[in-house]
Amino acid sequence: PRAGAVGMLRRHGLLLGALCAAGVASAATVEDAQGNPLYLYIIMPFISAFVGYITNWAALIMSFYPLEFWPCPIVTFEGQPFGFFGWQGIIPAKAAKMAATTVDLMQEKV
């Protein structure tokens, strides 16, 4: 099934691209009540999705990496992921505190 879908995209991709281009081109000539071209409203969700994807990716990367403080630990704050000149992932920076909290909770339950 996957090869069929890829093959279908290869066969019909040019047609799909032409239809999308024709739709955007026709939308470029259509305007809303304020005189703004319609294509701005068509591309807005795609741009928003791209920006959202990039910011979510950056947030995940910054949560876990780097494992050690980087680049130079001139001024650092204990248990915090930031310093004067550098950064450490939030999860690795707070690993000791999270482990202690987990152990305390497990000991209470047992």
Side-chain angles (χ1 to χ4, degrees):
R2 184 170 175 84
V6 171
M8 184 186 76
L9 280 175
R10 285 184 180 157
R11 286 190 305 271
H12 303 295
L14 186 60
L15 176 64
L16 182 63
L19 287 174
C20 289
V24 170
S26 66
T29 60
V30 178
E31 296 178 345
D32 65 359
Q34 287 80 27
N36 298 321
L38 189 59
Y39 74 89
L40 292 177
Y41 297 109
I42 294 172
I43 64 172
M44 198 178 306
F46 297 104
I47 293 172
S48 300
F50 177 74
V51 169
Y53 180 82
I54 295 299
T55 55
N56 288 343
W57 174 80
L60 281 174
I61 294 298
M62 290 178 73
S63 293
F64 293 101
Y65 297 104
L67 298 177
E68 299 293 328
F69 193 84
W70 183 86
C72 54
I74 294 173
V75 177
T76 61
F77 306 101
E78 186 64 36
Q80 296 298 321
F82 53 87
F84 193 63
F85 288 112
W87 176 259
Q88 180 181 8
I90 295 169
I91 305 298
K94 298 187 180 277
K97 184 177 180 181
M98 290 188 293
T101 303
T102 304
V103 168
D104 292 341
L105 288 172
M106 293 299 286
Q107 287 178 345
E108 286 178 9
K109 299 291 180 184
V110 173

